[in-house]
Amino acid sequence: PEQWAEHVELMFDLQILALQADLTRVSSFKFGAQSNGSFPESGVSKAWHSASHHGNVPSAIMEFNTINTYRTDRMTYLLEKLKNTMEGGASLLDKTAVIWGSAMGDPNLHGHRRCPLLIMGKANGALEGNLHLRAPSGTPMANAFVSLLQKLGHDDIDHFGGSTGEFPLSFP
């Protein structure tokens, strides 16, 4: 498709079909493609990557925020489709863990601290949902992955990548 959003929705549709057909239980999709592309549908004509180097100029930060809001909003399509796709009495959203994040906490500096991470869905009841958890400063994102893998039944995993332990994915 010519439009980025249409391409994203097509890729999400293929992922959902693969889950429904039990062709896979793991799928990944990198939103980062087209880093030099622009997203005029967002209302900003700058390319995403150049907009990320905002120089801490408030108006440039807001432009980058507008582009990211547009891009992140595409997740709504996936989440709604998962929620409305039933499998064995439960929605695919209830049966799935959707992980969305970024390796950049401050793209202006290519900073890798305080990176955003969202885990959506209930992973067949392994996750509570409806939580906002803030990691203590310096906590590696990989700690959340250790805890997620353990909740998914991989009890023997005590480290992943650069993890330093676990990060509980439930209310304390």
Side-chain angles (χ1 to χ4, degrees), residues 94-97 99 119 121-129 131 133 142-158 166-172:
D94 286 337
K95 294 181 146 206
T96 306
I99 303 166
I119 303 174
K122 295 200 175 171
N124 253 352
L127 299 172
E128 291 178 37
L131 294 174
L133 302 170
N143 287 13
F145 294 132
V146 168
S147 296
L148 179 60
L149 287 165
Q150 289 174 349
K151 284 193 169 281
L152 295 176
H154 300 281
D155 301 327
D156 56 334
I157 293 179
D158 60 2
E166 300 172 16
F167 178 72
L169 299 176
S170 58
F171 194 71

Side-chain angles (χ1 to χ4, degrees), residues 61-75:
I61 291 171
M62 289 311 298
E63 286 179 325
F64 186 55
N65 181 58
T66 299
I67 295 169
N68 282 318
T69 298
Y70 170 75
R71 288 169 48 101
T72 304
D73 191 49
R74 300 308 100 196
M75 290 298 296

Side-chain angles (χ1 to χ4, degrees), residues 107-133:
N108 186 54
L109 303 172
H110 284 222
H112 303 286
R113 296 180 190 268
R114 297 182 59 215
C115 298
L117 179 66
L118 294 172
I119 303 174
M120 299 160 278
K122 295 200 175 171
N124 253 352
L127 299 172
E128 291 178 37
N130 299 320
L131 294 174
H132 176 265
L133 302 170

